[in-house]
Amino acid sequence: MKIAVVTGAARGIGFEIARRLTKDGYRLVLVDVDPRVGDSAASIDATPVKADIADPEGRAQIRSAIRSEEGQPTLLVNNAGITRDALIGDMTEPNFRLVNRINLGATFELTSELADEIVDGGAVVNISSRAYLGNVGQFNYAISKGGVVGLTRSLALSHAPRLRVNAVAPGFIATDMTDAVPARVRDRIISRIPLQRPGRPIDIAEAVAWLGSDQAAYVTGQVLPCCGGRSHG
Ligand SMILES: NC(=O)c1ccc[n+]([C@@H]2O[C@H](COP(=O)([O-])OP(=O)(O)OC[C@H]3O[C@@H](n4cnc5c(N)ncnc54)[C@H](O)[C@@H]3O)[C@@H](O)[C@H]2O)c1
């Protein structure tokens, strides 16, 4: 049985990725700091791990949950992430550090700890963001997601040909994260999307499933924008 590990999988994009991967025959390990990960995992017959990826003990729990599955992971999806938006003058140092700590530092640490456990021919898919191209009010987030692109490309080089490593850069996707965006800002963003709608978590899940599959066997070190055509607008 193929095993996939998805972080930030209690809800939103991460949960949809996990649900989509069950259709490809994966057994899922769902990681989240939110205790609701238990119910989310139960709904798709997956293994929950309530853990903070930024905490070394949390990562030890993740490794031990993976070891108790029968077999090694084939796919790691680094999806856990947070925002703490503010304009540059209002960005506090703690919020700058926190976002980079979780989105980039913890993602790097978890990946470096798990990479050797992924089976030969396996894959890593990182969830970056279209914001890596730059976003006013998201300096911390844009920098962290740009870092995820650097991580993706570096890992693709260091682990080729054993593993493939790619990233998806979602645009504006309807989840709890974007529900927090003020309505007038949300309307402005949506009006600039060529496909004229917010993305759905399943739009991202399909891209992740493809990059993780053998159909993408010759794709590594790449960033796939999944943003309704808005990549540079
Ligand atoms: N929603 C969007 O428009 C959008 C756009 C681009 C990129 N993304 C990225 O997609 C990913 C998922 O976003 P979402 O919209 O589903 O967000 P969300 O807030 O709905 O879900 C994120 C999940 O990550 C978990 N998480 C946060 N910190 C964690 C930690 N330290 N350890 C373990 N779990 C942790 C949260 O508890 C939550 O369940 C994030 O990396 C986000 O940056 C989202």
Side-chain angles (χ1 to χ4, degrees):
M1 168 85 68
K2 297 183 295 182
I3 296 167
V5 180
V6 183
T7 68
R11 63 177 194 235
I13 293 171
F15 178 65
E16 198 60 38
I17 291 168
R19 188 157 58 181
R20 171 63 185 79
L21 290 174
T22 62
K23 292 190 186 158
D24 289 347
Y26 286 95
R27 163 105 191 135
L28 266 298
V29 177
L30 270 56
V31 176
D32 208 296
V33 71
D34 183 334
R36 288 178 289 180
V37 70
D39 287 345
S40 302
S43 74
I44 57 169
D45 194 22
T47 301
V49 188
K50 192 204 151 302
D52 181 345
I53 61 163
D55 174 8
E57 276 187 20
R59 293 197 301 275
Q61 275 175 267
I62 297 167
R63 290 198 304 278
S64 102
I66 292 170
R67 288 203 187 105
S68 55
E69 298 290 318
E70 284 167 28
Q72 295 168 271
T74 298
L75 176 61
L76 168 64
V77 182
N78 285 310
N79 166 81
I82 62 166
T83 51
R84 293 290 185 277
D85 298 350
L87 294 172
I88 187 163
D90 300 328
M91 177 75 63
T92 64
E93 191 184 348
N95 280 346
F96 182 87
R97 286 182 183 277
L98 179 66
V99 167
N100 279 284
R101 174 84 202 100
I102 292 178
N103 296 3
L104 180 57
T107 298
F108 166 70
E109 280 152 16
L110 181 66
T111 306
S112 67
E113 289 170 14
L114 292 184
D116 287 347
E117 304 195 18
I118 299 173
V119 299
D120 289 358
V124 177
V125 180
N126 295 321
I127 305 301
S128 175
S129 169
R130 178 199 167 276
Y132 90 91
L133 296 164
N135 239 0
V136 173
Q138 287 197 310
F139 279 82
N140 51 358
Y141 185 75
I143 290 166
S144 73
K145 293 299 189 176
V148 169
V149 171
L151 167 62
T152 300
R153 296 188 59 85
S154 302
L155 197 72
L157 296 174
S158 67
H159 285 64
R162 201 178 78 74
L163 302 179
R164 292 182 306 103
V165 186
N166 292 288
V168 175
F172 191 84
I173 312 301
T175 68
D176 289 354
M177 184 179 272
T178 46
D179 276 355
V181 175
R184 89 192 138 71
V185 178
R186 193 162 53 232
D187 290 349
R188 199 176 63 226
I189 293 171
I190 293 168
S191 73
R192 291 182 186 157
I193 300 172
L195 292 185
Q196 297 187 347
R197 66 166 176 86
R200 301 161 302 180
I202 189 65
D203 296 322
I204 306 307
E206 291 292 353
V208 170
W210 179 72
L211 284 171
S213 77
D214 290 344
Q215 288 174 315
Y218 202 52
V219 180
T220 196
Q222 304 305 308
V223 182
L224 177 59
C226 201
C227 56
R230 207 193 149 217
S231 13
H232 294 88

